[in-house]
Amino acid sequence: MRSFVRRLTTAAVSLLCAGTVLTPARASAAEAACQDLNIPVSLVDVPLLGLKDQTMYGRLCVPPGGSRTLQLLVPGGTYSSAYYDPPGLPDTRSFRKAVNNAGYATLAVDRVGSGRSSKPLSELLTATAQANAVHHAIQAMRTGAVGPRFEKIVLVGHSLGSATAIIESATFRDVDGVVVTGFTHHVAPLTVMPTLAALSPAALDPKESKVVGLDAGYLTTLQGMRYAAFHSPGPYDQQTIDADEATKDLIAPGEIIDAVLIGLVLPYSRRINAPVLLAMGEKDNVFCGPLATDCSTAETLRQAETASYAPEARLRTFVVPDYGHSINFAPNAPLLHTAVTTWTNEMIGH
């Protein structure tokens, strides 16, 4: 099975697949039209009496001229929808704008229990429950229940959001493509500890403790731990770390437990029957390295992960050089954006 290979030249960056040069993402000079959505969802597959008792916030952005294809963006743990369009950073860190400029609509959501979504009891939140909520959001966007109707949907995840995307797409098989970032089927036992050690009760955090309705189970990261947890050993940039710290959010312990069980231990991802693109940071301390996944090149990543996906997934892989876990904050994040939009052009289309 083929994978993406990076070739950097002084003139341009081309993404190659099996020797064929893929068409670059087209640019748009005009801004996308954006609106806030509050989508009724449930943490269960079939809500009792059809009642959807939770709300999932999403920022819908549609490029000029509209789009029949939507990328639904699910952030990772302790991140909100701001991960995909970080305020205060250059546009080169905006996954959302890059996808819009390529002619695709985006819906960046806050996982239930984070951001502007509803805050149920933390004990109710698992990766499976989040997958159910995302499924309801997908159905709403397909039917036009809360806004424009989209014919094709690509489900994009980062880290814990990728575990949610895997569970959703493997369970419901209702998306046209899946982009998994910051998530493989092997945790790095030698280097993951700084990320785990960064977690602390949200009630003790000066910012998150002010969020109305939180119980004691919600977690966030300790102040000053974002670089060690999510960016190391990538280059340290104070503006980037400050922006990440300012937009940090929440996670519930239950989300981690079944993300590990279903997303990592069980071969559940083999149920996905849509095309899959997997993108990782070369130096991701959570999933890559000795005794974990070899993320040194797109080919080694493909070899490590191909058995976890069915042939129908037509797995493609991409590696962002010289960065850690949260690759949308990397200085060379445009490489990721181009990889995703080029893959979408080829595998899904407008």
Side-chain angles (χ1 to χ4, degrees), residues 276-296:
V276 175
L277 172 65
L278 168 61
M280 297 294 296
E282 178 189 0
K283 300 179 179 179
D284 188 315
N285 282 339
V286 181
F287 293 100
C288 303
L291 305 180
T293 305
D294 186 348
C295 301
S296 55

Side-chain angles (χ1 to χ4, degrees), residues 125-127 160 196 199 219 251-261:
L125 294 176
T126 64
L160 179 63
L196 298 178
L199 295 175
L219 305 174
I251 187 174
E255 295 182 83
I256 301 173
I257 294 172
D258 69 337
V260 171
L261 177 62

